[in-house]
Amino acid sequence: MTDRVTVHVHEGVADVRLNRPDKLNALDIATFEALAETGDALAADPSVRAVVLSGEGRAFCAGLDFANFAAMAGDGPSDGGPGGSGGSAASGGQRFKRLLSDITDREPGRITNLGQQAVHTWHELPQPVIAAVHGHALGGGLQIALGADIRIVAPDAKLSVLEIRWGLVPDMTGTAALLRLVGEDVAKELTFTGRMVGGDEAVRLGLATRTADDPRAAATDLAREIAGRSPDAIRAAKRLLNRAAEGGDLAGQYLEESRELGALRGSPNQAEAVRAYFGKREAAFTDPA
């Protein structure tokens, strides 16, 4: 990972932050790489039970780095070199150009390219992910938030499917997420117009789960609550709900529910949940292997 993303884990909650506050956390190639690597690292850490995803500074994420956008068009250099602050400006732009020229290429062993994986990693992570959104979440920044399981937004936040401004379409898994969350007609309106949506409207439309004056604090409180539940049950629930949201057949979904419940029933963490409830005490769960 690079300094583009910071991670701190405390009592089962991973605090993950986009860390380019001087650029409103705009996305460059190093940020894509750092997000994908962070997701891989968290997935492999059984001590992590919930994730809070936010941005440092005045915004969650303002979208694509304009320096990189200029570099893609051949109009100027990029400051997004390898390793975050290291590397030449030209090399960052060249890597972005290669990404776009080979955009249909998939990352090894994945269904995504690098930009898509920076978002999809939160969807496929076994632990729940809560995005805390303040300031702007525009274009690719909004798509990163949509990759989370839950979104808590500030009332004055500004969200937009902004790609249409540049004559583009959402290309970081956003089309699938929008349809799941807001339905076809709203997804089309937001994508066709790129209009700004405030926090309260985002909740009404389904882009966000709820508002909070301090989204990070609210997300952290929720993550701590989730981290106190059986991690086996939480992971099983996310698998089942993801599958259902992705439109699996009902027969297969119902069979998978039975399989997941069968694996949980009588397991050490399930028994501990029952004992703790009736003993009126905090449960002492074991992290997944």
Side-chain angles (χ1 to χ4, degrees):
M1 286 175 277
T2 74
D3 59 359
R4 289 292 195 262
V5 175
T6 63
V7 181
H8 300 284
V9 179
H10 179 66
E11 295 182 346
V13 175
D15 182 342
V16 179
R17 302 189 189 188
L18 294 164
N19 189 38
R20 297 185 79 200
D22 57 320
K23 299 285 188 179
L24 299 182
N25 297 313
L27 300 166
D28 63 358
I29 192 75
T31 305
F32 286 158
E33 291 172 337
L35 286 168
E37 291 169 8
T38 297
D40 287 345
L42 294 175
D45 186 348
S47 72
V48 173
R49 298 185 180 182
V51 177
V52 174
L53 178 62
S54 66
E56 292 282 21
R58 295 183 292 117
F60 177 79
C61 177
L64 186 68
D65 187 304
F66 279 93
N68 279 290
F69 195 86
M72 285 187 296
D75 295 332
S78 162
D79 66 353
S85 59
S88 70
S91 68
Q94 289 165 1
R95 292 168 74 196
F96 232 116
K97 286 181 179 179
R98 285 200 300 273
L99 173 63
L100 290 195
S101 66
D102 299 326
I103 200 166
T104 59
D105 286 351
R106 306 292 89 178
E107 289 287 285
R110 302 190 191 277
I111 63 172
T112 54
N113 63 30
L114 178 59
Q116 291 169 333
Q117 187 59 27
V119 177
H120 185 66
T121 189
W122 311 112
H123 179 71
E124 68 180 358
L125 204 68
Q127 305 95 325
V129 180
I130 307 159
V133 178
H134 73 291
H136 289 88
L138 309 178
L142 175 58
Q143 291 182 79
I144 289 172
L146 296 182
D149 301 296
I150 297 166
R151 282 154 298 284
I152 300 178
V153 302
D156 60 354
K158 298 296 182 184
L159 295 75
S160 173
V161 187
L162 198 61
E163 285 80 6
I164 195 65
R165 175 183 289 180
W166 317 117
L168 298 171
V169 296
D171 64 330
M172 293 166 58
T173 77
T175 52
L178 284 167
L179 282 175
R180 288 196 304 267
L181 293 169
V182 303
E184 181 179 351
D185 56 342
V186 175
K188 287 178 177 177
E189 185 224 348
L190 296 176
T191 303
F192 295 165
T193 65
R195 71 179 180 86
M196 294 288 174
V197 174
D200 291 328
E201 185 182 5
V203 173
R204 291 197 300 272
L205 293 176
L207 281 175
T209 310
R210 58 183 168 92
T211 61
D213 292 333
D214 187 339
R216 185 182 289 144
T220 301
D221 287 344
L222 178 57
R224 288 173 177 158
E225 179 180 351
I226 292 170
R229 305 294 186 179
S230 167
D232 298 332
I234 292 293
R235 289 175 179 226
K238 179 167 177 175
R239 285 192 296 269
L240 287 168
L241 292 169
N242 278 356
R243 176 182 170 129
E246 289 159 6
D249 67 287
L250 280 179
Q253 178 72 21
Y254 296 163
L255 178 59
E256 196 60 27
E257 282 186 0
S258 299
R259 287 172 175 161
E260 293 284 8
L261 182 63
L264 290 169
R265 191 169 50 195
S267 67
N269 277 338
Q270 193 266 322
E272 170 61 9
V274 174
R275 287 193 299 266
Y277 177 80
F278 284 109
K280 298 181 180 180
R281 60 173 175 79
E282 290 292 322
F285 294 118
T286 302
D287 293 326

